[in-house]
Amino acid sequence: GKHRIVIPCLGHFKEEYEKVSKLYMNNKIRTTRYTLLNFLPRNLFEQFHRVANLYFLFLVVLNWVPLVEAFQKEITMLPLIGVLTIIAVKDGLEDYSRYKMDKQINNLLTKVYSR
């Protein structure tokens, strides 16, 4: 495959460069929104910023009140769970494709010119 290797011409300053370079961030590209740990909470947080999802959540909560209950509680939850699941899968697949593209870009072969 293709590799991206950047080797500066440091000469006798190599040890000093290694000490100083640990203080700075690397130049890897990262365009993904999620990690495995924050996918579910962050995705739900983003989804409930949509008015339609809040409306369905309101219907689910309202249906749990015995005086207002229109139909079975579980049936009211199905549209909300279905929409949340489909959008989460779509967002996860999009983020995974971004991850693969980032990995491809970060591993490209790069030439470094020095004077």
Side-chain angles (χ1 to χ4, degrees):
K2 296 180 180 179
H3 292 6
R4 181 174 183 237
I5 301 171
V6 178
I7 302 172
C9 182
L10 299 172
H12 59 279
F13 296 110
K14 186 174 182 178
E15 291 178 14
E16 183 179 345
Y17 170 77
E18 288 175 356
K19 289 179 187 175
V20 173
S21 66
K22 292 178 184 176
L23 302 174
Y24 299 102
M25 298 288 293
N26 60 18
N27 63 348
K28 288 187 177 182
I29 295 171
R30 183 174 179 261
T31 59
T32 56
R33 280 193 234 169
Y34 308 108
T35 63
L36 289 176
L37 295 176
N38 74 359
F39 176 75
L40 191 60
R42 188 167 182 186
N43 188 270
L44 288 174
F45 178 76
E46 289 176 5
Q47 286 193 44
F48 282 116
H49 273 83
R50 297 182 181 130
V51 178
N53 292 343
L54 285 175
Y55 171 74
F56 282 115
L57 181 64
F58 174 72
L59 288 179
V60 168
V61 171
L62 192 63
N63 205 30
W64 282 85
V65 176
L67 296 174
V68 188
E69 183 178 350
F71 17 81
Q72 293 178 347
K73 298 170 188 167
E74 295 81 15
I75 292 176
T76 311
M77 293 170 57
L78 287 178
L80 180 64
I81 291 173
V83 167
L84 293 179
T85 303
I86 290 170
I87 294 173
V89 168
K90 178 191 70 82
D91 288 346
L93 291 175
E94 287 176 358
D95 205 54
Y96 181 69
S97 68
R98 276 191 223 108
Y99 166 76
K100 288 192 326 187
M101 186 62 71
D102 292 347
K103 193 173 180 182
Q104 181 182 3
I105 290 171
N106 286 330
N107 290 325
L108 287 176
L109 183 62
T110 303
K111 292 183 179 180
V112 175
Y113 296 99
S114 64
R115 295 181 190 180

